[in-house]
Every structure is written in C-alpha cells, then in structure tokens.
C-alpha cells in the first residue's frame, strides 16, 4: 500500500475511479495544473468549445515518484517526479 508524504495510505481504487469520472482534455494540455480541479480556471487561449472536456476512457494508472515515460522522455526529464504521493 502506498502512502502520501504525510504517511496517510492512498486508496488507489478510489483515485482510479476519480480519474475515470474527471473530464479529459481532448486536444490541448494545460501544463500548469489540472483545469478541471475545483476552483481552477483554464489558461488563456484554451478554446471555449473544448472546456467541457470529453469522457475519460482509460485511467492509465497511478505512478509513485518516477513517471512511466518512454526511455527518451525519461532521459530529457530526469528530475520530474510525482509530488502528490
């Protein structure tokens, strides 16, 4: 069982369900934060017609610390880490 930085256990199943119920961005990616998070706004230039998002079809899983990138991407982003868990 994984734990967050405070030592609290992470409910992976609950997080996967949350991922599946959260809209996905179909063509644009917000690199600053999750635009669908409560209280968040879309960045300038994000098309109004896409702001409702599309249904999420697949939750690719949660990763701890190191993201599941392909080898070339991991090489160019060696310091990228998951800070949520």
């Amino acid at each position: 069982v994984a734990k967050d930085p405070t030592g609290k256990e992470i409910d992976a199943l609950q997080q996967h369900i949350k991922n599946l119920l959260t809209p996905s961005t179909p063509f644009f990616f917000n690199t600053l934060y999750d635009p669908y998070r409560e209280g968040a706004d879309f960045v300038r230039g994000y098309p109004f017609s896409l702001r409702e998002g599309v249904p999420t079809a697949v939750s690719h899983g949660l990763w701890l610390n190191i993201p599941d990138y392909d080898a070339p991407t991991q090489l160019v982003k060696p310091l990228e880490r998951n800070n949520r868990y």
Side-chain angles (χ1 to χ4, degrees):
V1 174
K3 296 184 180 186
D4 70 11
T6 67
K8 182 180 174 184
E9 290 184 357
I10 297 167
D11 185 344
L13 179 60
Q14 179 185 24
Q15 185 63 50
H16 279 294
I17 292 171
K18 181 179 178 183
N19 289 350
L20 290 169
L21 296 175
T22 301
S24 295
T25 53
F27 304 113
F28 291 81
F29 295 92
N30 186 331
T31 58
L32 299 175
Y33 52 80
D34 177 7
Y36 297 107
R37 189 185 71 228
E38 186 176 332
D41 293 316
F42 287 89
V43 295
R44 178 176 37 173
Y46 198 97
F48 287 103
S49 62
L50 299 176
R51 291 183 182 201
E52 289 185 23
V54 296
T56 302
V58 176
S59 173
H60 286 281
L62 305 174
W63 46 273
L64 298 174
N65 201 12
I66 300 173
D68 189 21
Y69 287 140
D70 56 60
T73 305
Q74 285 183 7
L75 288 173
V76 298
K77 296 183 174 188
L79 302 178
E80 187 163 331
R81 299 289 184 260
N82 180 0
N83 295 323
R84 281 179 49 193
Y85 305 124

